[in-house]
Structure formats: structure tokens, C-alpha cells
Amino acid sequence: MQQYSPMHVTDLRCEYTENPLGLDVRQPQFSWRLHDHRRNQDSSAYHILVSSNPEELRNNQGTKWDSGKVTSNAQMSVCYEGLSLTSTERCYWKVRVWDRNGAPTDWSETAWFEMGLLNAADWISEWYGYPAGYTGRALYFRTFYTVKAPFHRARAYVAGLGLYEFYVNGAKANDHVLEPAQTDYSKRVLYTTIDIGPYLHQGRNVLGAIVGHGWYGATKLRAQIYIDYEDGTRDVLRMARTGMRNQSDWSVNVGPIVSDSIYDGEVYDARLELPGWCDQQMENNADLQRKWLVAVPVDGPAGTMQAQPLEPIRVVDHVDAVAMHEVVPGVHVFDMGQNLVGWVRLRVNGERSTPVTLRFSENLADDGTVDQGNLRNAQCSDTYILKGGDSEEWEPRFTYHGFRYVQVEGYPGTPGLDSILGCVVHSDIASRGQFECSNDLLNRLQRAVLWTESGNLHGLPTDCPQRDERMGWLNDMTVRAEEAHYNFDLNRLHAKWIRDIHDEQDLVSGAIADTAPFRFGARPADPVTMCYLLVPWMLYQHYGNSAVMIEHYEALKAWVDYLTTRAKEDIVDYSYYGDWSPPVHEAVQTRYGAGAVSANTPGTLMSTGYYYLGCRLISLIAGVLGIDADVAAYRTKAEHTYAAFNRTFWDERKQVYGSGNQACCCFPLYMGLVPDERRAPVLEGLLHDVQAHDFHLTTGNLCSKYLLEVLSENGLHDVAYRIATQTSYPSWGYMLANGATTIWERWEHTKETSMHSKNHPMMATFSAWYYRYLAGIRLTPDTVGFSSFIVQPYLVDELSHVTARLETVRGIVESAWKREGEGLHLHVSIPINSNATIGIPIPHSPHFTLFESECPIWHNHELLTLPEGLLKVREDGDWVMVTAGSGVYEFDTRLES
């Protein structure tokens, strides 16, 4: 009789590799998680079945693909290798695995995936709009369709530019907002697949869309609808000059959205609403119907159509106002208690034609009104004009704001705290990491990081959410990426953004741009923008996603090759930003960069150091991809750059690099550019500079990350902790001491420059240090999707406990330590198909015993026993290092009495 494994398969996921030319999904990739109460468990094989219908799958028939038993412990990014898949095709799949002992699991539950429109020829709809007479207005589209019989599936493939909402019979057909995600529309246009089946009924139906300007700046719609009937027939509804079968042509109108702008806000005149515009109310009203015009074909963007490959933007939460003050008669300022990203829902009752204006800001002026000085040219205000009658409720559709304060002007009567409700809006990315410790300051800073990072995920990682910018700056992401991946599941969003970078890359020189999509900055980008390589590498290490490296390898290499052309004797010859935005007394006091360019950290030092990193990364990526010639070639380039860096920037007399400031010391140490014989004087110089500044940092957006990690990695963890817990200027704690609930762009609490965003994730990089050193969760250099990692917490006397938890692609990773008298308890969780090296600090006592789940395993420098799951135990300096397979472990160090 077959003996089944207690291991079981859950969380089936299907991702897609994208055609690098921008066409739609081509190859599904399958992933799953495994659970087992036993320790040291790996899977040894898998078997995937893919079928066209669930009945075949229930009979264990893989009519599209039967992988057979594949000897491998793979559980992520397993590529589909079956029969060709066609546009709109739905397939069902399941998987089982074998454990390390050769016992199979039960089959998983059935999951399904569906293909989009795979080829350009599949798009038989045209772009429609109305270019004459409606300038600046959002457009309303509508049409009819008769459902003639019972159906089993209905899909709408929709792209509305700049932004759109799709409706069926008066109901919005999904909960997405600000759709589609921003791209360079000359290269790619994203469409969404919408399940409209729940909104349709047999007989006559009304379909509609509202289209705003968004990032595109114009309004046009492309929609294609498929109805699959139970008798096997299909209707395809297309927007085309020949019209649509069983329905009238699309018509267009303007409505209450008088103007809409991402930066400036939305004006909504409720008197102009179109009652019944997307349901049956207009059927018998000839006067209303006459106001609708026939939509006409318009030129569409040049970009290819691609299914939106990332999570949608949604309203993910709501925030109540905590205070309200009437600052002048008729002007009320609400405090949301939290700097958030999104908009507010207005509740109001008043006379017809009354305008209510909402102005948003992060700061207050001295008189209590909102201060919008740091928004620069962005107006950041919404206006609602009442229709009169019953209580009215409204929120905008095609704008968003970054704000803590809302100034309400013209509200009829006196508003209450519940007159507005904050709507938190961003890409609906899953939370990945949790961190908590015994220091409330660090916990509050971590909460600020989560608000900051999530609020700047809007289809791409933006630099800020409030002023006339909101761009995907690459220099910030060079250091921001690791913090972001510890806190959020960014496998899809970051993969999409790498394509945005690729879209902006010069095909001849290989130069990339400072921002992607490219709306501001320079091309070539500053050489510090090594996130183009770092992000694909992190996607591989954190999620096992090699597809991005494969698709973009030649482009990644081209960026490094461009920098080679700018390297004179292996020193890169240009820099714009460098270690951007240090404390103002460390910056160049010029108008350029609003005083954010470092005066004491040479730009070419930073540029050359990142060029060295780029060469090393290409060598590593080439190794994974099996391109041996490039492994050697770029390793040699790195070696030449290493020599040139030390030849050029080392000051033999002062025994430091560059100026010897914190950045010039920690940066080469972090990058591995310091020869062994120079490490001690460089560390000494770093410590001296930190002490000279009373344990405060002098670094900018890049080197603030490196400062903490270099100190912790080199025996100065207490110094790093002291910097991280400062509350006086300049420090992260200083931000909180001055009312921050998100992380600032500048160290200063100032309104004297327009460059002082109060929500800027480039300065939130310290969160990675929390996970990597306070909790001790670090990836090993050769890890693939957390296949191997380290749990080695660095303790400080001021902390009594730290808890960190990560939802990895393989399962839960946990590190939780707490002091128990003179001893220490450490809880570690390792998922299946992973192993970890666990570092337990040796107590300051010559006599102690290390226990695992109450079993003594190490005593006075000697191994006692190896419990199940532990593979090796050894001492290494101040640590007992334990190698363990999957499972949950409870370690205790106890001193002898």
C-alpha cells in the first residue's frame, strides 16, 4: 500500500515570463509552498499536471502538460513545457511532490491560470475618443450588448489612457483605481483583464468607461470583450469602425469630472452628473440620449499592448481624522494624524452650486493653514460642487495626494471629524516582513518606513507622493531596494519597473536614464544607479526569479559597458548626485540640487565604486546564466577598477579614502574595495569621524545604509545602534521628535527649500539593518529564493528582545530572541528546501551550555549531541555556529551557577 508523506503542498501560484519585446505572456511559471511538521525536510521530486478542464485534472490527466516525475527540489519558477497555449485560454493545474525519503504527497488543490491576448493581431479593437471640443474633460463612454443565451465566461480586455474605470450595468466592474500602471506609452501600454460575468445578465446590457488624463495627458479607450456561451460559441465585441454585432456603436460624453490631474487634483461638478449613464435609465429618454455623441477612432500610443504584470492599485485602508480646527471663518483644517497617500472621501449636505475645496499638505503654516510650499508646482487640491438635496458623498477618481493635513474651504455649516475620511491608496502589494523590538523608537521608525515605502508604490517605486515629481528615481533604489524587499513582496512590481528602465535605455550607447519612465533627470544616469543590476539580482536571491536576469542580461551588461567608456584609467569621469542629501552643513551651498550635493564626498569616488560593483554583479549574473566568458571578463574589469580606486582615492598620509568623512570610509568598506592591510586604519578613521560628530551621521541617501551595516559587520554594532537611536539632529529619531510619521527627504526640519518632502523612502534604508543585524536574517551569497540564509542576531545591551518574521517564497523565516536572566533564548524557523546557519552569541562567561529544545548540545567548547535537524555545530570567535535544515528550533544559552 502506498505510504504518503505528511508533507503537503499549498499556496499554488502561476507567474509569467514576459516577451522582452513587450508582447503578452508566453510561458507560465509555477510555484508552491510546502509544509511539514518534521525537521530537516526537503522535497526530492515534483509532478505537475496541466489540463484544459478540471474534470480531466480530477482524473489525473495532464492533457496540456504532464511533467512526469521530475527529480528536483524546485518549488518556484518551474517553467511550463507543454502544448502551445493560445490567447484567452484557461488551464487548470495541480502538483504533488516527493519528500526526501521518496514518499509522495497527496495532490494539491486545483488552481487555474488564464492567458491574455498574446499577439498584436489579437487586438482587433481600435483606440476611440473624441478629440474635438472636450479638451481637459474626462470622457464617459457607453455602449450596449445583448447577452443572447446562458454563458460561462465573460472577459473585458481594457486599456484606458491616461486612467480609467470600467462599468457594467451601472456597477464598477472591479475595485482597481488609477489603472493602468504608468509606463512609457511609446513603448508599452498595459491592459487589464476584467471578469465582467458577475455583472452581466441575459438580455440587453450597458457597458461603460470613465477615462481621465493620468500620466498620459489625453483621454482614449481601447476595449475588447469576449463572451463564451455554454453552447461553445463566442461573441467578440470590438471597438472598430465596423461597429459591434448585437449592439450600437460606442458613444461618448462629458460629465461631472470637469478637470483631472495627477498633480493638481480633480474638480467634480455634481450638477453635471449623468444619471443612468451606464444602466437602462437612458433607454426611454431621447433628450438624454441626444447629448451623447458617437465616439470616433483616434491615434493610439505607439507602444505594444501588454497585460498588466503586477498588482493593481487599490484603496487599501481608511484613516479617520484625529483633529479639526477652524483657522479662519469658513476654513477648517483637519489633521489625519498620519502622513498618508491617497485622497479623502467628503461627506457634505448643502445648497446646490456650493463649491467645497480640499487642499492637501504635509505641513502647516504658522497661522494653522496648510503650507503647500514644498509641493512646488503641484496644486494638490480637489473641488466638489454640490448638486443639492440629500447628503452627498464623493471621492476623486483620477488623482492622488501625499498629505497629513486637509484644508476644507466653503463647507456649508460646521464640519465634523467624520466629514472627511482618509482613503489610503497604493499598489496592493503583500506585506512580507514584520519587525518588533523592545525599543519603542525603533518600532515607531519601522512603522514610519512601512507607511513611507508602501505609499510610494504606485505601479512603480516613486521617490515621493506629493509634489510635482512622483518619479521612479534610480539612484534612490540603489539602496532602497533591500529595505523594500524585506518589508514587501515586490517580485512583480520591481520586475515591471526593470522593464520600464529597459524601455528608456539608449539602444546604441547602453546609457540608461535617471528616472523610469523617463520624465525628468538625465541620460546617461548618474553612475550610482546600479539598481538596474541590483534589483534583478535581489529578485533572484529573494524570490528565485531568474527570468528578469535572463530577459535583460544584454541590457544590464550594456549599462556597465557604457560606464566603461566613461572610465579614464578605470576611474569614472562624471557624477551628478553622488551621496545625495547629506546634512545641509555637509552639502555644497549652491542652488543646484537645493543644497543636496555632498561637499565632502567626491562624486567620482562614488561613481567609480559603483562601477566596480556593476562589474562584480555582471560577473555574478553571468555565472548564474552560464556565460563563462563574461564571468572572467567582468571579474578582470572589477580587478582593474579595484586597483585604480585605491591608486586614486587613497590618502597615504591620512590613511583614509577621499576626505575621510563617514561616507568615504564606509562606502569602500561596504563595497569590498579596501585591502586587508588598510581595513584597520579606515575603520579607525570612520569611528573617529562618528565620535567627532557625537555619534551622529554625516551621510546622505546612499551611505547612510552602508554606515550602519559596516559598523555592525566590523565589531562596532554598539556604535551603529547609538547612531540609529539618536533623537537630535541629524538623525531618523529627530524626524519623529518633530512630528514625523513617515521618513523625510532631508535631515533638516525646514521649510526654507522646496526640496523637503516629508515622505521619501530613500532615507528609509535603515530598516534593512533592523532585519539583517538586530534580527540577524541575512542571505548567503549563493542563495536562490532563500534556499540558504543566516540567522545571526547582533545583540546590544539596550535591547531585551527582537522579533522578525519574513514571508519568503519557500515559507516562513523567523528570528526572535529575548534575554532570560543572564541567558538568551533564540527562536528560529526555517522553511522546507532551505537551510540556515544560525549564530548564537557566546555569553561573557567561560562556562555555559547551549540547549536546543531543552536538549544540551554544546558545553564549554565541546559538542554534546546533534538533535534532529541540526547538521553541524562549531565555534567561531564569539559565536556558536549551528547549521540546520528546515524546522522550528528553540535555542537557549544558560550559564553555570
Side-chain angles (χ1 to χ4, degrees):
M1 187 175 187
Q2 177 71 65
Q3 294 294 314
Y4 285 94
S5 170
M7 185 180 292
H8 59 282
V9 184
T10 64
D11 301 323
L12 274 63
R13 303 182 303 283
C14 182
E15 306 286 349
Y16 303 93
T17 57
E18 300 286 345
N19 185 301
L21 297 178
L23 300 180
D24 205 349
V25 293
R26 293 292 183 185
Q27 187 180 49
Q29 292 188 333
F30 304 111
S31 301
W32 55 87
R33 285 186 181 176
L34 300 170
H35 297 273
D36 198 318
H37 66 275
R38 300 170 298 171
R39 288 182 172 181
N40 196 26
Q41 288 299 308
D42 296 321
S43 60
S44 60
Y46 66 83
H47 185 186
I48 298 174
L49 295 177
V50 182
S51 294
S52 298
N53 65 69
E55 184 60 35
E56 293 172 340
L57 212 57
R58 280 193 288 271
N59 294 325
N60 294 332
Q61 296 175 341
T63 55
K64 299 297 291 189
W65 183 40
D66 184 337
S67 73
K69 182 179 179 180
V70 179
T71 302
S72 168
N73 70 349
Q75 66 177 104
M76 63 194 71
S77 301
V78 177
C79 291
Y80 174 83
E81 296 178 356
L83 300 176
S84 295
L85 300 171
T86 59
S87 292
T88 76
E89 182 176 7
R90 175 183 279 200
C91 293
Y92 300 84
W93 71 284
K94 65 181 180 180
V95 62
R96 64 173 173 170
V97 304
W98 283 258
D99 67 17
R100 66 183 306 147
N101 301 317
T105 66
D106 288 327
W107 285 101
S108 70
E109 297 294 323
T110 297
W112 61 269
F113 63 90
E114 199 169 284
M115 308 305 288
L117 302 180
L118 301 182
N119 305 295
D122 293 330
W123 279 96
I124 55 178
S125 287
E126 300 178 61
W127 288 95
Y128 270 69
Y130 199 84
Y134 288 159
T135 304
R137 303 285 296 273
L139 293 184
Y140 286 66
F141 293 85
R142 70 193 299 265
T143 193
F144 299 98
Y145 172 70
T146 299
V147 175
K148 59 192 179 185
F151 64 91
H152 67 87
R153 183 170 58 164
R155 298 286 184 266
Y157 303 92
V158 185
L161 295 181
L163 302 168
Y164 76 93
E165 294 181 345
F166 197 77
Y167 290 78
V168 180
N169 292 322
K172 187 180 172 188
N174 62 24
D175 61 355
H176 304 182
V177 299
L178 302 176
E179 193 120 283
Q182 181 188 171
T183 56
D184 180 337
Y185 305 107
S186 69
K187 305 292 177 59
R188 286 180 302 135
V189 178
L190 302 182
Y191 71 87
T192 304
T193 303
I194 305 174
D195 179 6
I196 61 173
Y199 305 94
L200 292 174
H201 54 254
Q202 269 191 251
R204 193 168 173 84
N205 294 264
V206 184
L207 310 175
I210 309 174
V211 183
H213 295 78
W215 298 105
Y216 185 64
T219 51
K220 53 192 66 175
L221 178 68
R222 194 179 198 183
Q224 196 159 300
I225 296 151
Y226 290 67
I227 312 293
D228 292 327
Y229 288 100
E230 291 181 358
D231 64 4
T233 61
R234 165 180 279 184
D235 270 358
V236 180
L237 291 66
R238 60 194 180 100
M239 299 182 77
R241 300 170 200 270
T242 56
M244 297 188 186
R245 187 160 61 91
N246 297 330
Q247 67 174 93
S248 63
D249 292 334
W250 286 79
S251 53
V252 65
N253 202 348
V254 292
I257 303 177
V258 176
S259 66
D260 65 277
S261 163
I262 292 288
Y263 292 139
D264 294 338
E266 188 167 307
V267 176
Y268 186 97
D269 189 341
R271 299 171 301 177
L272 303 178
E273 288 180 342
L274 305 169
W277 73 274
C278 193
D279 59 31
Q280 304 292 336
Q281 292 184 44
M282 292 181 59
E283 283 288 272
N284 300 315
N285 192 323
D287 289 338
L288 291 178
Q289 291 186 40
R290 276 194 293 270
K291 295 180 180 178
W292 289 77
L293 303 175
V294 176
V296 297
V298 295
D299 290 336
T304 55
M305 302 292 288
Q306 182 188 67
Q308 184 155 288
L310 72 160
E311 297 85 347
I313 299 173
R314 290 187 172 100
V315 177
V316 298
D317 203 357
H318 294 94
V319 175
D320 295 319
V322 298
M324 180 197 71
H325 302 284
E326 187 173 21
V327 291
V328 296
V331 177
H332 299 83
V333 174
F334 290 75
D335 181 357
M336 306 307 297
Q338 172 65 52
N339 194 332
L340 61 97
V341 179
W343 52 70
V344 298
R345 181 182 300 160
L346 174 68
R347 300 184 180 100
V348 62
N349 192 335
E351 293 184 4
R352 183 177 175 83
S353 302
T354 301
V356 178
T357 297
L358 312 171
R359 303 190 191 280
F360 299 85
S361 77
E362 297 180 308
N363 304 301
L364 293 179
D366 292 340
D367 63 1
T369 59
V370 294
D371 182 347
Q372 295 186 316
N374 70 330
L375 304 181
R376 301 197 293 226
N377 293 318
Q379 297 301 308
C380 294
S381 66
D382 297 331
T383 297
Y384 179 75
I385 302 172
L386 279 67
K387 59 188 172 186
D390 296 334
S391 180
E392 302 174 44
E393 192 170 282
W394 171 82
E395 60 190 86
R397 287 181 171 87
F398 301 131
T399 188
Y400 74 93
H401 313 287
F403 63 98
R404 175 171 175 169
Y405 303 101
V406 185
Q407 184 166 297
V408 180
E409 302 171 3
Y411 193 95
T414 301
L417 274 180
D418 62 350
S419 296
I420 64 170
L421 177 68
C423 300
V424 182
V425 178
H426 56 71
S427 292
D428 195 6
I429 302 296
S431 176
R432 188 170 186 239
Q434 300 172 32
F435 175 89
E436 188 273 335
C437 70
S438 57
N439 185 321
D440 184 59
L441 173 66
L442 299 186
N443 294 335
R444 290 168 57 212
L445 282 168
Q446 174 65 8
R447 287 194 293 272
V449 169
L450 298 180
W451 276 98
T452 304
E453 182 63 49
S454 62
N456 279 282
L457 299 173
H458 275 250
L460 56 91
T462 61
D463 62 329
C464 60
Q466 73 295 88
R467 67 187 181 213
D468 57 350
E469 199 164 347
R470 314 184 201 187
M471 299 178 193
W473 276 94
L474 277 67
N475 64 327
D476 295 356
M477 188 54 67
T478 296
V479 289
R480 173 183 166 189
E482 190 166 42
E483 163 270 308
H485 285 292
Y486 270 108
N487 286 308
F488 296 97
D489 182 351
L490 292 169
N491 188 26
R492 294 174 178 173
L493 188 145
H494 275 188
K496 177 265 183 188
W497 188 58
I498 291 298
R499 295 185 188 99
D500 291 333
I501 300 173
H502 191 176
D503 285 346
E504 309 298 4
Q505 189 166 13
D506 187 280
L507 296 179
V508 177
S509 71
I512 59 176
D514 276 333
T515 60
F518 185 36
R519 291 192 287 110
F520 183 80
R523 187 194 286 119
D526 189 298
V528 304
T529 56
M530 210 44 66
C531 66
Y532 194 25
L533 281 69
L534 277 168
V535 168
W537 185 246
M538 288 183 185
L539 293 176
Y540 176 65
Q541 289 202 307
H542 279 261
Y543 310 97
N545 181 351
S546 61
V548 177
M549 296 191 307
I550 294 169
E551 291 171 21
H552 299 284
Y553 177 71
E554 292 300 327
L556 305 180
K557 192 169 69 168
W559 169 230
V560 176
D561 290 347
Y562 171 78
L563 293 179
T564 301
T565 69
R566 299 297 302 267
K568 306 300 187 287
E569 297 183 347
D570 300 307
I571 298 297
V572 178
D573 66 357
Y574 77 102
S575 170
Y576 311 140
Y577 316 114
D579 190 27
W580 181 253
S581 195
V584 69
H585 56 270
E586 299 284 335
V588 176
Q589 300 304 303
T590 64
R591 183 180 178 187
Y592 169 66
V597 176
S598 176
N600 301 312
T601 306
T604 53
L605 179 149
M606 299 295 297
S607 296
T608 303
Y610 278 113
Y611 172 54
Y612 170 75
L613 174 63
C615 293
R616 286 176 53 209
L617 284 168
I618 289 294
S619 183
L620 286 170
I621 294 170
V624 171
L625 303 184
I627 308 173
D628 295 339
D630 283 353
V631 173
Y634 286 87
R635 183 183 296 143
T636 298
K637 285 187 179 184
E639 291 169 353
H640 291 166
T641 307
Y642 177 98
F645 184 93
N646 278 278
R647 184 174 61 246
T648 303
F649 298 111
W650 175 250
D651 188 322
E652 182 65 28
R653 182 178 66 84
K654 295 181 180 178
Q655 295 285 287
V656 294
Y657 291 92
S659 68
N661 68 354
Q662 293 173 21
C664 288
C665 290
C666 72
F667 178 67
L669 284 166
Y670 184 91
M671 292 295 167
L673 283 161
V674 182
D676 289 344
E677 66 273 14
R678 292 178 180 171
R679 291 184 64 84
V682 174
L683 278 168
E684 183 180 348
L686 176 60
L687 178 60
H688 175 77
D689 193 276
V690 169
Q691 291 171 332
H693 290 88
D694 193 24
F695 295 88
H696 288 73
L697 45 71
T698 62
T699 45
N701 67 334
L702 303 177
C703 290
S704 294
K705 169 184 170 61
Y706 306 145
L707 175 64
L708 297 182
E709 299 193 16
V710 163
L711 289 170
S712 291
E713 193 65 37
N714 289 277
L716 297 169
H717 185 58
D718 58 330
V719 177
Y721 183 82
R722 191 167 173 182
I723 293 171
T725 54
Q726 292 286 356
T727 57
S728 55
Y729 171 82
S731 68
W732 295 287
Y734 174 77
M735 300 178 189
L736 297 191
N738 284 276
T741 60
T742 45
I743 304 302
W744 297 349
E745 178 181 26
R746 306 299 296 267
W747 298 111
E748 292 74 36
H749 183 45
T750 179
K751 300 177 185 177
E752 295 178 2
T753 170
S754 62
M755 187 184 146
H756 63 97
S757 159
K758 293 297 191 292
N759 189 338
H760 227 81
M762 74 178 187
M763 290 298 193
T765 58
F766 59 86
S767 178
W769 177 78
Y770 289 2
Y771 289 100
R772 286 171 51 81
Y773 291 95
L774 296 183
I777 301 173
R778 302 191 294 283
L779 294 170
T780 58
D782 59 348
T783 191
V784 181
F786 263 89
S787 59
S788 62
F789 56 94
I790 298 166
V791 176
Q792 188 177 13
Y794 285 51
L795 310 187
V796 289
D797 292 340
E798 293 84 352
L799 288 179
S800 62
H801 76 266
V802 167
T803 299
R805 174 186 173 99
L806 287 176
E807 292 267 359
T808 77
V809 289
R810 298 181 189 273
I812 301 298
V813 169
E814 287 180 308
S815 170
W817 62 264
K818 62 180 178 180
R819 299 183 187 277
E820 294 184 340
E822 295 296 317
L824 180 77
H825 176 78
L826 174 62
H827 164 90
V828 176
S829 182
I830 305 168
I832 294 172
N833 288 329
S834 294
N835 64 78
T837 300
I838 304 163
I840 298 106
I842 294 176
H844 299 298
S845 170
H847 304 293
F848 76 97
T849 302
L850 175 62
F851 295 80
E852 196 288 304
S853 296
E854 298 302 321
C855 174
I857 64 172
W858 190 265
H859 178 68
N860 292 348
H861 314 292
E862 293 184 359
L863 178 65
L864 300 177
T865 186
L866 275 180
E868 180 187 11
L870 301 190
L871 308 177
K872 183 179 179 181
V873 182
R874 61 185 173 86
E875 273 193 25
D876 184 1
D878 296 331
W879 306 87
V880 176
M881 306 301 294
V882 179
T883 303
S886 65
V888 177
Y889 299 91
E890 308 292 344
F891 296 97
D892 291 278
T893 57
R894 297 172 186 165
L895 306 186
E896 294 184 3
S897 56

